[in-house]
């Protein structure tokens, strides 16, 4: 009896996983394109120090976990840290081919990837890190509710910045 119960549970979980491939009818490809565009919009604003636009991409009560800087809990804290430590100093670039997007049924999506950081003064990209963004879709709008930025490392061979704002 226990084996049948376990097998039934496994089959039910597999069916649910197969059915949960998107949000509100989105295919996995559409969801990935949506999150890719959101990432680009958020970090274009970040790189240009357009703090109102950048801040609007985050939930008011966002939790931002950073392996070097600790925890920030609020949109205001994220925006203030960006203004203090990033504006005019650093540029963020998504590392091509590293982004993964997974549907979070009934909530939104989780985005994983790697990004590098480039010093504006030298136009050299010298650091890289991994990240996880939890995006919530509510009433047609998307916002980041959780960030985990981790495994910050220097690049073995610094590279030239790919693009400038």
């Amino acid at each position: 009896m226990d084996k049948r119960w376990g097998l039934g549970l496994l089959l039910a979980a597999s069916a649910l996983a197969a059915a949960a491939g998107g949000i509100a009818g989105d295919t996995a490809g559409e969801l990935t394109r949506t999150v890719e565009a959101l990432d680009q919009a958020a970090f274009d604003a970040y790189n240009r120090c357009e703090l109102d636009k950048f801040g609007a991409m985050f939930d008011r009560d966002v939790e931002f976990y950073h392996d070097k800087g600790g925890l920030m809990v609020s949109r205001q804290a994220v925006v203030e840290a960006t203004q203090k430590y990033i504006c005019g100093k650093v540029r963020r670039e998504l590392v091509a081919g590293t982004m993964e997007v997974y549907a979070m049924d009934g909530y939104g999506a989780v985005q994983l990837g790697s990004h590098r950081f480039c010093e504006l003064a030298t136009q050299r990209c010298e650091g890289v890190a991994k990240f996880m963004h939890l995006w919530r879709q509510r009433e047609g709008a998307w916002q980041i509710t959780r960030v985990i930025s981790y495994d910050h490392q220097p690049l073995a061979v610094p590279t030239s910045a790919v693009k400038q704002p």
Side-chain angles (χ1 to χ4, degrees):
M1 187 75 140
D2 287 335
K3 287 182 182 179
R4 280 189 253 158
W5 172 253
L7 180 59
L9 187 59
L10 180 63
L11 290 173
S14 296
L16 285 172
I23 298 171
D26 279 352
T27 66
E30 290 171 354
L31 181 60
T32 296
R33 286 187 295 280
T34 296
V35 172
E36 187 173 45
L38 290 164
D39 181 89
Q40 184 172 358
F43 288 97
D44 281 350
Y46 171 97
N47 289 334
R48 290 184 170 88
C49 202
E50 295 171 347
L51 297 176
D52 288 341
K53 288 181 184 178
F54 180 66
M57 302 301 289
F58 293 87
D59 182 73
R60 179 176 51 96
D61 297 317
V62 65
E63 292 180 7
F64 190 119
Y65 300 88
H66 192 284
D67 64 346
K68 305 295 183 190
L71 172 64
M72 288 182 278
V73 182
S74 76
R75 173 190 307 145
Q76 181 178 348
V78 170
V79 169
E80 287 173 359
T82 301
Q83 183 174 27
K84 183 175 181 178
Y85 299 110
I86 301 300
C87 287
K89 299 173 185 126
V90 178
R91 170 180 185 75
R92 182 262 196 180
E93 296 177 354
L94 181 65
V95 176
T98 65
M99 191 177 79
E100 299 176 43
V101 175
Y102 301 93
M104 300 296 286
D105 196 33
Y107 190 82
V110 64
Q111 174 192 15
L112 307 168
S114 293
H115 46 202
R116 69 180 141 248
F117 300 94
C118 307
E119 297 292 327
L120 296 180
T122 64
Q123 287 299 303
R124 303 282 289 169
C125 302
E126 299 184 1
V128 66
K130 296 176 184 170
F131 69 91
M132 186 280 309
H133 294 159
L134 183 60
W135 291 90
R136 179 181 59 213
Q137 181 185 32
R138 184 168 56 188
E139 298 173 8
W142 289 85
Q143 286 187 313
I144 300 170
T145 60
R146 302 289 180 275
V147 175
I148 301 175
S149 186
Y150 61 100
D151 196 28
H152 286 79
Q153 302 287 327
L155 284 172
V157 178
T159 61
S160 295
V162 175
K163 58 184 175 179
Q164 295 181 353

